[in-house]
PDB file of all heavy atoms in Angstrom:
ATOM      1  N   CYS A 100       0.368  10.877   6.567  1.00 96.00           N
ATOM      2  CA  CYS A 100       1.371  11.584   7.365  1.00 96.00           C
ATOM      3  C   CYS A 100       1.557  12.993   6.829  1.00 96.00           C
ATOM      4  O   CYS A 100       1.589  13.205   5.606  1.00 96.00           O
ATOM      5  CB  CYS A 100       2.698  10.822   7.333  1.00 96.00           C
ATOM      6  SG  CYS A 100       4.061  11.626   8.196  1.00 96.00           S
ATOM      7  N   GLY A 169      23.905  20.307   0.839  1.00 89.00           N
ATOM      8  CA  GLY A 169      25.323  20.566   0.711  1.00 89.00           C
ATOM      9  C   GLY A 169      26.176  20.110   1.873  1.00 89.00           C
ATOM     10  O   GLY A 169      27.395  20.237   1.836  1.00 89.00           O
ATOM     11  N   ILE A 174      18.082  12.824   8.868  1.00 95.00           N
ATOM     12  CA  ILE A 174      16.737  13.180   9.325  1.00 95.00           C
ATOM     13  C   ILE A 174      16.470  12.334  10.564  1.00 95.00           C
ATOM     14  O   ILE A 174      16.649  11.113  10.543  1.00 95.00           O
ATOM     15  CB  ILE A 174      15.682  12.900   8.246  1.00 95.00           C
ATOM     16  CG1 ILE A 174      15.917  13.802   7.031  1.00 95.00           C
ATOM     17  CG2 ILE A 174      14.269  13.112   8.794  1.00 95.00           C
ATOM     18  CD1 ILE A 174      15.018  13.488   5.849  1.00 95.00           C
TER      19      ILE A 174
END
Side-chain angles (χ1 to χ4, degrees):
C100 177
I174 295 173

